Amino acid sequence: MTNWLLGAFAFVGNRTVSGLQGMGRAWGLFLGATASIRNVDVWLPHLLPQMARVGVASVPIALFIATFTGIVMSLQASYTLTGAIPVYFVGTLVGKTMILELGPVLTALTLAGRVGANISAELGTMRVTEQVDALETLAYDPLAYLVVPRVFAAVFMFPIVVLLAIGIGIASGWFTALQLLDMSSPEFVKGLRLFFEPWDVWFAVIKSVSFGAVVTGVGCYFGLQTERGAEGVGRSATRTVVVASMLILCLDAFWATVLL
Amino acid sequence: MERRREALVGLVVMLGVAVGVVGTIWLQGGLRRDMRELRAASQNVGQLVAGAAVKFRGVSVGHVDAVNVAPDGEAVLVHLSVEPDLVLPADAAVLLAPESMFGDWQAEILSRADFELFSFLDYPEEGVLPAAALPDFSRLTATADQIARRLTTISERFEVAFTEETALNLKNAIDNIGAVSDGLSEIITQQAARFEDLSEGVNASAAELGAAARQARLSFERVDSIIANTQVEGMLGDAGVTMSNLRELTESMNASLGDLRSAAQRADTTFARLDELLAAVESGDGSLGRLLGDPTLAEGAAEAVQELRALLVDIQENPRRYLSFSIF
Amino acid sequence: MSIYLTEVHKAFGPKEVLKGFSMSIEDGETAAIVGPSGIGKSVLLKHVVGLLRPDAGSVVVDGVSVPELDRKGLDRLRRRIGYVFQFAALFDSMSIAENVGMGLRRIPGWDRRRIEDRVEDCLALVELAGMGDRYPAELSGGQRKRAGLARAIAPEPKFLLYDEPTTGLDPVTTSAIDRLILRMRDELGVTGLVVTHDMTSAFRVADRIALLHDGRARFSGTPAEVKAASDPVLKGFVEGDPDLYYRDGRRREGMHAGGQDHGA
Ligand SMILES: Nc1ncnc2c1ncn2[C@@H]1O[C@H](COP(=O)(O)OP(=O)(O)OP(=O)(O)O)[C@@H](O)[C@H]1O
Ligand SMILES: [Mg+2]
């Protein structure tokens, strides 16, 4: 009994300590990366390639998801809004949910898998094959060389990808409303405009920026933490996706309370 | 390779920014041109908020820029941005009202002359349009409720005033009329019994007068009950009915009396009483008529009284004319 | 331009790898550290360049204490140090030429042309001329190792740290590499530290040889002294006689049992 209790306490204590350790390391990474922003000459040449990798290459999957989200939103909105509620509320629902929530969050969750895992695996492989050490011996700051351009690229490109996703999502929702729901364009647009606030778009952009930072930051963190070869690389990628997804949802709730 | 990648990144960035900017502008309802600034002042603005549509003759011509309380705290200033080439009516006013059941409120520019019902606020500053806010739907029902309650109070008060100041007279008058008509038919019956040679027609006329008198009594009883119940609205209608009944009575009397000169001679005291009574009715009726805002009732009654009095005077002065072939 | 390691201690968790290693490499000298697989040679080398910090003891390179350097100081030092990784550690997203040019791009005032010329020269030195456009994955292990060597020597460092530069190479290439190491010392005055368990190589390139054993420098001396030494552990290692080598070390066998064995 006492043993069991001791074990339980030890487990909790152990987890607490390792959790705090992880947070400390993450904080250290954050501070280091922030300090490394100084080394502009190191990260600037890599910004564009990373923007292409993080942003441009993510556009197809983001648009694919947004397209189907728009269609489903439209259909489900019309299914939900029956009776006394005017049909143009389908437009309101599609627009509002795409801009405020689904555009940023679904895109970010997808990119947590696509970009986060990719970064984590790449940096993890670099870590276990001593490429990170090699960078250091060649007097490159690995944080400036690896982390900063990736995070910056995501911070710039996530909002872009999200805006495109929102646009496509609304367009596909609109198309669905016209083709399958017997709505007219003016009706849909009326609903879209009814409760639209320009602030909504800013909200989406702010969220996307934070999601971009989180996805790439977590990817870099677990990537650089990688130990023990190929297995470690795989574990880092998995952890990245899980932790980044959780953080995205937490941040989502955070922004909703703070900004709305 | 490098150039292509740069171009691709550039393209995606531009596309994304374009979607964001153009989409926002489009969803906002178009690019805002160089707008003309208008100000309007209202007691309150209901649910109007910045960004609401400004309409003129049903056409969206701008939006509300800001809504804030005037420096003196006595009004709300609504700042409007409208199309620069909009020609406003000379007596332009702004009506703040819900756009739809679900939507936001809107500010509608209209000609004040067409909507005099609304109490637009005249703000003592040059260039500030008068504005009024429609009550909200909920407020509307509340107001209606209030009005109904006030009406009830008014009618209650009216009832009290009417009964106390006027109704007593009228009641007496009606009682008297009842007595008169009773007496009248009694006289006629007596006359008919005493002068057996009185023609059949006279008899019939006497009966007719009796019926008319009874009808009049019924009418007055109705007035009586109306006064007791004080259904203000019904009273007006019933007053009309009463008036026509009175006229009918007068006419019947006129017709009958032509054949009843003899009977009437003996009835001068009764008619004197009727005169008194009708004078009372006249004064009572006058009050009633003025109270109800319907002068025709009083006029009709006065007319009837006038005719009766003229008849009575004529009977008294020239009894022979009426009683030429009577027993006297 | 010298390297002084004094009483360096390093443990990974409960595992003590270095337990007071001391050695000094004078200016222009090339030293070799020998020892069996998993004994801590690579760990030791990483202390010199600041990739690892000692738990205790001092690492002084070119007059500065490496563990106390900040990022800037480390970078400044590292520009004068070439490090040849045991497994090359080439950046596999870059071509060989780009890999070799990495260090050069950090030197102020070097333009494209100059970098390209230098890269070509270095690739020729390690007999990889014309392979610059290839990617690391397209090279053999030995070629990769030489590309890593080329990358280390390209910025003309004052110090060169070789982590098993000849392991896995054929004898001809091995002696070519050994000759290159000697050339670095003789022509450029480079201070070198070669980690190896190839005794032939060690005898060929080193002015001094140290045997890393049980976390300390078991023996340190000139090649001649090594050959003449009577220490059974050293003798066992040099002659490749496990019976002799482990007779003394058997007690601590547990250390080797848990060791990571990535020798060749
Ligand atoms: N980052 C690390 N974390 C934990 N243990 C480590 C780490 N790096 C090295 N070690 C351990 O330190 C010991 C020495 O490793 P090192 O790589 O220095 O061996 P080595 O002498 O270079 O061997 P080889 O000749 O096979 O390369 C090994 O047992 C290894 O498991
Ligand atoms: Mg090693």
Side-chain angles (χ1 to χ4, degrees):
Chain A
M1 190 63 202
T2 352
N3 255 344
W4 178 84
L5 258 182
L6 209 65
F9 286 141
F11 177 79
V12 172
N14 189 344
R15 278 301 152 111
T16 310
V17 168
S18 61
L20 286 175
Q21 252 174 3
M23 272 159 76
R25 275 197 299 261
W27 181 242
L29 177 78
F30 174 76
L31 290 184
T34 310
S36 299
I37 295 174
R38 272 177 314 169
N39 303 329
V40 179
D41 56 318
V42 177
W43 58 261
L44 195 60
H46 298 276
L47 188 59
L48 193 99
Q50 289 303 330
M51 278 163 84
R53 277 183 58 188
V54 170
V56 177
S58 301
V59 168
I61 179 71
L63 294 196
F64 178 83
I65 285 171
T67 304
F68 282 89
T69 310
I71 292 172
V72 171
M73 278 309 303
S74 198
L75 292 174
Q76 292 185 348
S78 80
Y79 169 77
T80 312
L81 305 174
T82 50
I85 302 165
V87 68
Y88 58 79
F89 268 85
V90 171
T92 312
L93 226 97
V94 171
K96 275 279 177 185
T97 45
M98 279 310 296
I99 294 172
L100 289 182
E101 180 68 12
L102 294 181
V105 173
L106 271 191
T107 308
L109 288 177
T110 314
L111 296 200
R114 197 195 165 276
V115 173
N118 177 302
I119 287 176
S120 172
E122 186 189 12
L123 297 201
T125 306
M126 289 184 76
R127 167 60 84 195
V128 298
T129 58
E130 295 185 313
Q131 291 179 50
V132 178
D133 289 341
L135 271 179
E136 291 220 37
T137 61
L138 290 168
Y140 284 87
D141 173 3
L143 298 184
Y145 190 87
L146 299 172
V147 177
V148 174
R150 281 167 173 77
V151 174
F152 273 15
V155 162
F156 289 136
M157 292 309 284
F158 263 47
I160 299 289
V161 176
V162 164
L163 285 176
L164 287 174
I166 289 172
I168 289 290
I170 291 178
S172 73
W174 187 350
F175 183 79
T176 310
L178 293 193
Q179 297 301 315
L180 300 178
L181 299 178
D182 281 342
M183 274 177 77
S184 69
S185 267
E187 271 179 322
F188 190 88
V189 172
K190 180 185 178 182
L192 267 185
R193 287 179 173 173
L194 192 53
F195 290 103
F196 176 78
E197 296 280 342
W199 167 247
D200 295 352
V201 177
W202 283 115
F203 183 65
V205 167
I206 290 169
K207 269 163 81 158
S208 315
V209 166
S210 68
F211 294 163
V214 159
V215 166
T216 45
V218 171
C220 289
Y221 173 75
F222 283 114
L224 291 179
Q225 292 283 315
T226 304
E227 282 171 349
R228 289 192 278 276
E231 187 214 339
V233 172
R235 193 173 32 230
S236 289
T238 310
R239 273 192 199 163
T240 298
V241 175
V242 171
V243 172
S245 302
M246 285 184 340
L247 283 179
I248 284 169
L249 295 176
C250 293
L251 259 181
D252 192 33
F254 170 77
W255 287 128
T257 39
V258 170
L259 291 182
L260 290 186
Chain B
M1 176 65 201
E2 184 67 21
R3 281 210 87 75
R4 254 195 63 198
R5 188 160 59 185
E6 280 174 13
L8 209 60
V9 171
L11 184 75
V12 168
V13 169
M14 270 162 22
L15 266 179
V17 171
V19 165
V21 172
V22 174
T24 305
I25 290 169
W26 176 69
L27 283 176
Q28 255 184 332
L31 203 65
R32 280 160 189 187
R33 285 184 288 154
D34 256 359
M35 293 297 224
R36 180 173 150 201
E37 293 284 316
L38 286 180
R39 281 189 303 162
S42 173
Q43 271 307 336
N44 73 79
V45 293
Q47 318 276 13
L48 192 80
V49 289
V54 175
K55 297 242 176 106
F56 180 57
R57 298 186 192 283
V59 181
S60 189
V61 293
H63 65 273
V64 174
D65 262 341
V67 176
N68 41 47
V69 177
D72 60 3
E74 294 295 312
V76 184
L77 284 179
V78 181
H79 299 256
L80 313 168
S81 281
V82 298
E83 284 168 9
D85 41 5
L86 187 72
V87 179
L88 297 177
D91 59 341
V94 178
L95 182 65
L96 315 173
E99 199 172 0
S100 75
M101 281 287 280
F102 299 92
D104 298 330
W105 275 44
Q106 64 176 19
E108 186 167 14
I109 300 174
L110 36 78
S111 168
R112 185 172 181 172
D114 297 342
F115 292 87
E116 279 176 328
L117 239 67
F118 300 110
S119 48
F120 292 99
L121 179 73
D122 287 299
Y123 194 70
E125 198 184 312
E126 193 63 24
V128 177
L129 299 176
L134 266 196
D136 205 352
F137 286 104
S138 53
R139 273 189 234 167
L140 209 59
T141 52
T143 311
D145 193 41
Q146 204 175 10
I147 289 170
R149 219 172 301 142
R150 217 171 270 165
L151 269 178
T152 315
T153 319
I154 286 168
S155 63
E156 271 164 11
R157 280 190 196 151
F158 179 78
E159 185 184 44
V160 171
F162 189 77
T163 310
E164 283 181 352
E165 294 169 7
T166 331
L168 267 172
N169 281 339
L170 196 58
K171 242 180 165 161
N172 288 337
I174 286 161
D175 288 346
N176 290 345
I177 280 183
V180 167
S181 64
D182 279 348
L184 206 54
S185 48
E186 202 181 289
I187 288 166
I188 287 164
T189 321
Q190 278 172 7
Q191 296 287 349
R194 201 183 288 174
F195 302 106
E196 283 162 357
D197 58 339
L198 212 64
S199 69
E200 290 280 343
V202 172
N203 246 335
S205 293
E208 212 177 312
L209 181 59
R214 267 192 296 279
Q215 203 183 353
R217 188 182 176 166
L218 272 174
S219 292
F220 280 118
E221 269 169 10
R222 198 141 156 216
V223 170
D224 195 20
S225 79
I226 283 164
I227 289 163
N229 292 335
T230 327
Q231 297 282 335
V232 178
E233 265 177 79
M235 194 184 272
L236 278 168
D238 288 337
V241 175
T242 309
M243 192 201 74
S244 65
N245 287 346
L246 267 174
R247 191 166 287 148
E248 236 174 78
L249 170 68
T250 319
E251 276 162 14
S252 311
M253 276 177 144
N254 261 339
S256 306
L257 284 173
D259 297 325
L260 273 175
R261 282 165 194 140
S262 57
Q265 198 190 24
R266 279 281 189 97
D268 59 342
T269 47
T270 317
F271 277 117
R273 272 178 66 200
L274 183 64
D275 187 26
E276 267 173 44
L277 173 98
L278 285 174
V281 170
E282 186 196 341
S283 71
D285 241 5
S287 308
L288 174 68
R290 254 171 254 123
L291 270 165
L292 300 182
D294 184 5
T296 48
L297 175 66
E299 273 163 25
E303 246 168 53
V305 169
Q306 216 83 53
E307 278 171 61
L308 279 172
R309 189 178 287 156
L311 182 66
L312 192 65
V313 168
D314 196 29
I315 289 172
Q316 276 173 339
E317 277 177 6
N318 311 298
R320 289 276 147 212
R321 212 196 292 171
Y322 293 94
L323 305 167
S324 54
F325 61 105
S326 74
I327 34 145
F328 298 112
Chain C
M1 296 260 285
S2 46
I3 301 169
Y4 299 114
L5 301 162
T6 325
E7 284 293 313
V8 176
H9 284 78
K10 182 69 180 177
F12 294 103
K15 171 183 258 166
E16 291 179 80
V17 179
L18 298 179
K19 304 174 195 174
F21 181 89
S22 296
M23 187 182 188
S24 48
I25 300 115
E26 300 301 334
D27 186 12
E29 206 180 50
T30 293
I33 295 173
V34 296
S37 186
I39 203 78
K41 306 185 293 297
S42 298
V43 167
L44 184 62
L45 213 53
K46 282 177 183 168
H47 279 88
V48 178
V49 76
L51 287 175
L52 292 175
R53 276 163 186 273
D55 298 336
S58 74
V59 180
V60 177
V61 178
D62 204 10
V64 290
S65 172
V66 177
E68 287 162 38
L69 286 176
D70 59 1
R71 172 103 241 143
K72 248 191 162 132
L74 269 179
D75 274 357
R76 212 176 302 127
L77 175 67
R78 282 163 178 173
R79 281 174 209 218
R80 282 174 286 147
I81 300 180
Y83 193 110
V84 182
F85 282 87
Q86 188 172 354
F87 304 102
L90 296 175
F91 306 114
D92 35 34
S93 60
M94 294 179 202
S95 70
I96 298 303
E98 283 174 315
N99 261 287
V100 177
M102 271 296 273
L104 301 176
R105 261 176 265 152
R106 298 287 281 153
I107 306 174
W110 278 52
D111 58 11
R112 250 179 113 88
R113 261 254 49 84
R114 192 167 171 196
I115 292 173
E116 277 170 19
D117 289 348
R118 176 72 183 149
V119 167
E120 271 311 306
D121 290 350
C122 289
L123 285 177
L125 273 177
V126 296
E127 280 153 50
L128 284 175
M131 302 271 239
D133 291 339
R134 302 232 191 145
Y135 278 80
E138 298 165 345
L139 299 187
S140 76
Q143 286 172 322
R144 254 180 263 170
K145 185 154 263 179
R146 282 180 279 150
L149 181 60
R151 184 175 68 185
I153 63 174
E156 295 175 355
K158 297 285 172 281
F159 300 89
L160 267 167
L161 311 175
Y162 310 86
D163 197 346
E164 306 193 13
T166 57
T167 310
L169 299 183
D170 61 274
V172 181
T173 316
T174 300
S175 40
I177 297 293
D178 288 343
R179 212 168 294 157
L180 184 68
I181 293 170
L182 288 174
R183 246 177 90 188
M184 289 288 144
R185 181 192 66 184
D186 298 338
E187 291 177 14
L188 299 172
V190 165
T191 306
L193 184 51
V194 185
V195 162
T196 185
H197 35 219
D198 178 352
M199 284 317 296
T200 326
S201 245
F203 286 134
R204 219 180 298 170
V205 300
D207 301 313
R208 231 137 39 76
I209 296 172
L211 173 70
L212 179 57
H213 179 77
D214 195 16
R216 315 177 115 259
R218 171 89 183 198
F219 181 92
S220 183
T222 61
E225 284 167 348
V226 170
K227 282 173 188 160
S230 57
D231 178 20
V233 175
L234 181 61
K235 240 180 147 62
F237 185 78
V238 170
E239 288 163 16
D241 183 347
D243 291 338
L244 204 56
Y245 180 78
Y246 284 123
R247 196 195 308 156
D248 184 69
R250 201 172 286 278
R251 275 179 282 131
R252 299 180 180 89
E253 199 166 11
M255 175 175 174
H256 306 293
Q260 214 168 302
D261 195 84
H262 41 57

